[in-house]
Structures are given as C-alpha cells and as structure tokens.
Amino acid sequence: MQLKDKVAVITGSAAGIGRRAAVRFASEGARVVVSDLDDAAGADTVAEIRSNGHEAAYCHSDVMKIADLEALMDFATATYGGVDIFWHNAGTTSAAINSDRSGYHPGITEADWDQQMNVHLKAGFFGARLAVDQMMKRGGGAILFTSSAAALKPPVGTAPTYPIAKHGLILLTKMMAVDLAKHNIRVNAICPASIKTAMIEGLLADDSTKGIVDDLVKQMPMGRILEMDEVAACATFLVSQQASAITGTVLPIDGGRTSL
Ligand SMILES: NC(=O)c1ccc[n+]([C@@H]2O[C@H](COP(=O)([O-])OP(=O)(O)OC[C@H]3O[C@@H](n4cnc5c(N)ncnc54)[C@H](O)[C@@H]3O)[C@@H](O)[C@H]2O)c1
C-alpha cells in the first residue's frame, strides 16, 4: 500500500487519466476526494472506488473559480481531516487548437486565451497554494501537476495557448518545489503524450478519423498509444514515499516522443 491513509485531492477525476488514477490511489490505501465539473461522472467514479471496497467522496469544483478550490479544500478537511496529496489534473485543450496554421492564430480569442490560462495555470497556482495551507498543518505533503509533452516539445502549427499554459505549470513546479522543500512538501509534474482516453478511443472507432491516431503513433518511438494506467502508475509513484527524494521533477510519460 503506497498511499495508506493519505488524503488525496484530484481535480478533473471524473473521467480519463484522473479517474483511472483516483481508482488506483484508492486501491493503494488513499482516501480520495474526486472533484470535477461533471457531477454524474464524478459520482460514478466514487461508486467504482467504493465497489472495490475503498474510500472516496465527491466534491463539485470548477478549478477556474478560486472559491470552488477553497470549498474543495474545506470539503477534504471536513470529510477526511486534511490534505496530504493535491494533484491538479483537470484540463481541456484549446477550442482554437486547429483553428489556423498561418502562424499568427487569428482564431484565438480573448476568451480562449483566458480559459486556457485559467484552467491550467491559475487553477494550478491557487489550488496548490490552498492545499499547502492544509499540508503545513500535517507536516508535509505532495503536489502534482499534469503538464503535457506539448509543453516540452510544442506541436508545430497548432494554437500556442495550451502548450504555453502547460509550460507555465513546469515553471510553477520548479519554483514551488524550491520554496516548499523546507516544509517537507514535494512538487512534481508529469508530461503525458497521446494517452488512450475516450477522445482517442473515439477517433479509433471511426474509419474517417483513425488516420489522426496513426499520425500520432508515428510520432511515438514506442510505436503505440499509451495507456491511462501507465500514467496513473507514475503519478502514484511521484506522490508516494517511494519518491521521497524527488521534487521539482518534470517527468515525460511520452513513449520517447519528446526525445525525437
Ligand atoms: N490524454 C492525453 O493524451 C493527454 C496528453 C497530455 C496531457 N494531458 C492532460 O491530462 C489531463 C487529463 O486529461 P484527459 O485526457 O484525462 O482528459 P479528460 O477530458 O478525459 O478528463 C479531464 C477531466 O477534467 C474535467 N475538467 C475540465 N475542465 C474542468 C474545470 N474547469 N474544473 C474541473 N474539472 C474540469 C473534465 O470534466 C474531465 O472529467 C489534462 O490536464 C490534459 O491536458 C492529456
């Protein structure tokens, strides 16, 4: 049990990587606060965890709202007594991701820019700061950010908003890691690439979009799309005591993509 009795708050854990990791954290002994915008899927995630005989509770939280993040920490504290692990995983791609390839991206609106900076970067900073308040009371903790391989090796010709916001999380990881080391709080980031979530499953299921996945596979030295469990395993390691000497680390989970 790598996370026995730890209280773990994971944003964006009703679906995809966050959900898979919530199930895994709970199976490793954590009491998991599942949080998301999608209440039905969040409740379903909690039901899955409980049906495995493990502990979880759901809290609605829009990470773009600081008041919601405050309420999330209050919920974790009221329900499980504090916060040991905070993982800011919620995220969305830019609405303008493929809007324009001319090089100056007129498709990016102010709303798109703000949404990307807020959901990734603002939420990461304020969520982590609020979690730190709780971790200090418990003598330490672990923070994890989901960045992206796109932040390490920006995709050519796509909107820069998502990679910029995700790159900001890398700098935040390093700055917080240095500042918080003296408080026994570790801060790390993961940079996934091409993970088999519902979006990729959807592309694969349709003959007209399968080619998009084939193109992604060509960019992966391992020659395959990666599994959500492979991300969840790395995240579990980074927030566990097994990684007690690791802080400020940015871990690509990318099948070699960013080494190309
Ligand atoms: N799937 C990939 O290949 C991949 C690659 C690199 C990075 N990532 C990152 O991994 C993270 C998880 O992505 P995923 O692929 O599992 O996506 P997903 O869409 O399956 O899950 C994301 C979850 O975040 C939630 N969410 C979105 N906006 C939110 C908000 N404002 N407040 C709270 N919750 C919100 C969604 O409701 C959803 O449940 C994201 O940060 C994403 O950018 C994914």
Side-chain angles (χ1 to χ4, degrees), residues 12 14-18 36-38 61-64 89-92 119-120 146-148 162 166 192-195 197:
I17 294 166
D36 208 284
L37 292 174
D38 186 338
S61 177
D62 179 346
V63 296
M64 295 197 287
N89 168 74
T92 53
V119 75
H120 299 117
T146 305
S147 179
S148 170
Y162 177 88
K166 289 296 199 185
S194 303
I195 311 301
T197 55

Side-chain angles (χ1 to χ4, degrees), residues 127-185:
R129 200 173 72 177
L130 289 160
V132 165
D133 289 342
Q134 298 304 323
M135 291 173 183
M136 295 263 204
K137 294 178 195 158
R138 289 160 86 88
I143 293 170
L144 187 63
F145 295 119
T146 305
S147 179
S148 170
L152 298 173
K153 189 166 184 174
V156 177
T158 58
T161 36
Y162 177 88
I164 288 171
K166 289 296 199 185
H167 195 86
L169 282 177
I170 292 176
L171 198 56
L172 184 62
T173 300
K174 291 178 181 291
M175 294 181 80
M176 288 190 84
V178 172
D179 287 343
L180 295 170
K182 57 182 169 292
H183 298 294
N184 193 31
I185 297 172

Side-chain angles (χ1 to χ4, degrees), residues 11-19 35-38 41 60-65 68 87-93 115-116 118-120 123 146-150 162 166 169 190-200 216 225-226 228 231 253:
T11 69
S13 46
I17 294 166
R19 177 175 177 147
S35 80
D36 208 284
L37 292 174
D38 186 338
H60 175 95
S61 177
D62 179 346
V63 296
M64 295 197 287
K65 296 179 183 161
D68 278 24
W87 179 5
H88 176 44
N89 168 74
T92 53
T93 48
Q115 194 273 344
Q116 283 296 296
N118 290 345
V119 75
H120 299 117
T146 305
S147 179
S148 170
Y162 177 88
K166 289 296 199 185
L169 282 177
I190 54 170
C191 292
S194 303
I195 311 301
K196 201 194 280 177
T197 55
M199 190 186 80
I200 288 201
L216 286 175
I225 295 298
L226 308 177
M228 288 190 283
V231 182
I253 307 170

